[in-house]
Amino acid sequence: MQKRCLSDLTIKNDFMFGAVMINPENCKEFLERALEIEIDRVDVSREKSMVYHPDYKGIRLDVYAKDENNTCYNVEMQMTKKPALGRRSRYYQSQMDMDILLSGREYAELPDSYVIFICGFDPFGERKYRYTFQMQCKESNQTPLEDGRRIVFLSTCGENEDEISKELLAFLKFVKADLKESREMEERFMTLEEMLKDERKEGLKEGTVKAQKRIVSKMLSKGLSDEEIMELCDISLEELENFKNHR
């Protein structure tokens, strides 16, 4: 397994994207730009897993957030084109609804929800930066279903600059340019990397295994995924599971 330096990662990487969005202010600002709405605050979960039955396909949402009105937002970074993206979004949204209904709420209590895909390609070939979908009556443009669902695809390959805000345009061009999020974000990851270096130095004094356990524990507490921890610490899944079992 090739280990990468944190400073080499860009926002297109799942780890970097999740680390940026886990900050409530960053997530709030992005949602306001992407959806052109105003939000007071958001609570953010990273890599929220939803598996309700062993026979059913589970999902892991990249970023899951709720605002002050309990509106739910799922944001996914999709840099490579995959088949059935529309049906994939349908399944994600159904799982979000299931998560809410499991708590015993009634259908009428289902909050509004958004599934947002940030695409490094044009998902529909219309050269749009943003494609927004919601249920509408085919026989009457004046009759929305009002089921509270919205599915939004953001594309870095659009050409309709005059149809979106300059803030959203800047964000999508930034993603396409493959640059770091910002000097502030880069400093945040440099700090984490320095922490890891210090832990490794301490490991030389007290034993590598003990130091690795402490590093893994800190990464788990910060919400890093198993894949990210294995890559950054250069350990196997078996070693990671062993560390987890002896925390």
Side-chain angles (χ1 to χ4, degrees), residues 12-40:
K12 293 179 182 178
N13 177 269
D14 289 342
F15 169 59
M16 176 66 88
F17 175 64
V20 170
M21 287 297 175
I22 198 66
N23 181 294
E25 285 302 313
N26 290 342
C27 187
K28 171 182 175 295
E29 183 177 352
F30 164 75
L31 292 173
E32 289 182 326
R33 290 181 179 184
L35 304 174
E36 296 184 353
I37 60 176
E38 292 187 2
I39 301 172
D40 286 341

Side-chain angles (χ1 to χ4, degrees), residues 75-159:
V75 187
E76 301 286 325
M77 183 67 77
Q78 192 78 50
M79 286 297 103
T80 58
K81 193 168 186 177
K82 295 184 178 180
L85 198 57
R87 294 178 186 273
R88 179 188 297 266
S89 67
R90 167 182 162 183
Y91 190 69
Y92 280 26
Q93 204 139 33
S94 69
Q95 292 297 289
M96 291 166 65
D97 288 344
M98 179 68 74
D99 185 61
I100 295 168
L101 289 177
L102 281 177
S103 63
R105 300 171 69 174
E106 299 294 333
Y107 292 124
E109 297 179 273
L110 281 174
D112 290 348
S113 63
Y114 293 83
V115 173
I116 305 169
F117 284 90
I118 304 172
C119 302
F121 53 91
D122 188 341
F124 302 103
E126 297 290 336
R127 298 189 295 278
K128 302 288 188 182
Y129 280 109
R130 178 173 55 206
Y131 300 89
T132 304
F133 297 87
Q134 60 189 88
M135 294 291 286
Q136 188 80 22
C137 179
K138 181 178 179 180
E139 288 76 18
S140 171
N141 292 331
Q142 305 301 318
T143 310
L145 185 59
E146 296 185 349
D147 60 352
R149 295 180 298 164
R150 302 287 190 280
I151 299 175
V152 179
F153 297 88
L154 301 176
S155 169
T156 62
C157 303
E159 296 179 6

Side-chain angles (χ1 to χ4, degrees), residues 3 7 13 26 54 64 73 87 112 141 150 159 166 172 174 183-184 200 202 212 222:
K3 185 171 66 173
S7 59
N13 177 269
N26 290 342
Y64 182 74
Y73 306 89
R87 294 178 186 273
D112 290 348
N141 292 331
R150 302 287 190 280
E159 296 179 6
K166 62 181 181 180
L172 292 173
F174 162 74
R183 181 60 186 169
E184 179 182 353
R200 292 187 185 106
E202 288 297 317
Q212 278 188 323
K222 289 180 177 294

